[in-house]
Amino acid sequence: MILAVVALIAGLALLVWSADRFVDGAAATARYAGMPPLLIGMLIVGFGTSAPEMVVSAMAASDGNPALALGNAYGSNITNIALILGLVALLSPIAVHSQVLKKELPILMLVTVFAGWQMFDHQLSSLDAWCLLGVFFVLMAWSVYQGMKSPQDALATEMNEELTQSSMTLKQAIIWLLVGLVLLIVASRMLVYGAVFIAQSLGVSDLVIGLTVVAIGTSLPELASSLIAIKKGEHDIALGNVIGSNLFNTLAVVGIAAAIEPMAVDAVVLTRDWTLMAVLTAALFVMGYGYKKQGRINRLEGAVLLAVFIGYTGYLISTVVA
């Protein structure tokens, strides 16, 4: 048990550090390759911060623990909105300027509904997995189109300012990209081993472990990057991290895991976890879109989101203790 706890803690710490190095290296490499700042912000940074969820879920599914993979993906989405945006908005209200992000908010809502519809038969089959991945690649293509169409978007401006502050050479960028990727895999293996061993030893379901410890751990890169962005006044980057990450988690992370190991979905996932994720996504859409006015997440709304996260996590813990 002690070894498993050490593996879990060390895996989480290494995961956060390696994910940060991976994203920095990938963003700098993309800049040297001539990729527009908006695409770097939407694809490289937004999706890159979800690399921990992807690797951990793929490892869990390949080890025959698909519930851990699903819990990780949906738990991360709940954590991203309720904990990360709640905490960030509590510290500094989030103003939404980017028109591209306003277009992504309804897409995230539709993707969430589509994911729930797939689970109504309590199964995620190989066909479901490839449908999720197909939608993901279509959205990737759409993101590229939007990036080329809206080079002066507010998100592009913030991202360009962020990139110009980096003094990383191309060689350094490629080295950190590769080192970050390798350490991500190592850290994910440690994390999955520790989480599964502890869950089995304590009689806790893989799903609950995935929704709590693993989900919060793999969401730490999003939390760190969002807090740094909001400190610099880069509100759209903070929100873009969450939207991009949640799209990636819902489509690519779950899709990859189900493609590796088709899974039975417990009814509680649909009634409890997906439902909360959908409600939070709808709330984010209403707050961020800002009908006929600027979208904004104020401190009160941030406090409500944070309270929802604390209540949800507390409830999950109570089911284990009981």
Side-chain angles (χ1 to χ4, degrees):
M1 176 64 82
I2 294 177
L3 180 60
V5 172
V6 171
L8 178 67
I9 295 173
L12 283 173
L14 184 59
L15 194 73
V16 173
W17 187 84
S18 59
D20 189 42
R21 301 285 80 76
F22 173 73
V23 172
D24 286 348
T29 301
R31 178 169 64 88
Y32 280 111
M35 180 178 284
L38 182 60
L39 288 185
I40 295 176
M42 292 173 66
L43 302 182
I44 305 299
V45 177
F47 293 154
T49 51
S50 283
E53 286 92 338
M54 181 184 70
V55 180
V56 167
S57 292
M59 293 268 186
S62 63
D63 288 346
N65 302 104
L68 177 62
L70 188 61
N72 179 29
Y74 286 179
S76 292
N77 283 1
I78 292 169
T79 301
N80 285 346
I81 298 176
L83 173 61
I84 295 177
L85 288 185
L87 182 59
V88 167
L90 200 59
L91 296 173
S92 175
I94 303 172
V96 185
H97 303 97
S98 172
Q99 293 303 310
V100 171
L101 292 183
K102 285 190 174 184
K103 292 177 182 178
E104 285 196 332
L105 282 169
I107 291 176
L108 178 59
M109 189 70 245
L110 290 173
V111 163
T112 302
V113 172
F114 175 65
W117 173 77
Q118 281 193 321
M119 295 189 296
F120 261 98
D121 61 353
H122 303 299
Q123 296 283 334
L124 278 176
S125 64
S126 296
L127 177 60
D128 291 329
W130 288 110
C131 286
L132 288 170
L133 291 173
V135 173
F136 172 71
F137 286 118
V138 168
L139 284 181
M140 288 278 285
W142 177 82
S143 296
V144 171
Y145 172 75
Q146 288 296 315
M148 302 302 291
K149 182 182 177 183
S150 310
Q152 303 305 317
D153 187 80
L155 177 59
T157 303
E158 289 184 6
M159 197 66 225
N160 188 52
E161 292 176 357
E162 185 71 19
L163 290 170
T164 54
Q165 296 175 11
S166 173
S167 57
M168 198 179 294
T169 65
L170 177 58
K171 182 179 179 180
Q172 290 173 327
I174 293 174
I175 290 174
W176 281 123
L177 172 64
L178 296 176
V179 169
L181 181 60
V182 171
L183 291 181
L184 263 176
I185 296 172
V186 174
S188 298
R189 171 55 65 192
M190 294 168 61
L191 178 60
V192 170
Y193 161 74
V196 171
F197 188 92
I198 292 172
Q200 292 175 346
S201 299
L202 298 178
V204 181
S205 70
D206 290 345
L207 176 64
V208 171
I209 288 291
L211 288 166
T212 52
V213 177
V214 179
I216 294 171
T218 54
S219 292
L220 289 178
E222 285 94 337
L223 176 60
S225 60
S226 294
L227 288 175
I228 292 171
I230 210 71
K231 184 178 180 181
K232 297 178 180 178
E234 298 167 342
H235 293 186
D236 290 302
I237 288 181
L239 182 59
N241 283 341
V242 168
I243 294 175
S245 177
N246 281 23
L247 283 170
F248 193 96
N249 291 341
T250 306
L251 296 171
V253 172
V254 176
I256 291 171
I260 294 172
E261 180 71 27
M263 63 186 84
V265 178
D266 196 314
V268 74
V269 174
L270 193 59
T271 58
R272 182 190 64 197
D273 309 313
W274 175 85
T275 298
L276 178 59
M277 183 177 74
V279 169
L280 287 171
T281 303
L284 177 60
F285 171 71
V286 172
M287 292 183 291
Y289 204 81
Y291 303 97
K292 297 183 179 180
K293 62 180 181 179
Q294 184 184 61
R296 184 180 179 85
I297 305 175
N298 60 39
R299 283 192 171 89
L300 177 59
E301 292 164 339
V304 172
L305 289 174
L306 200 55
V308 169
F309 176 79
I310 294 172
Y312 170 72
T313 304
Y315 172 75
L316 289 177
I317 294 174
S318 71
T319 62
V320 174
V321 174

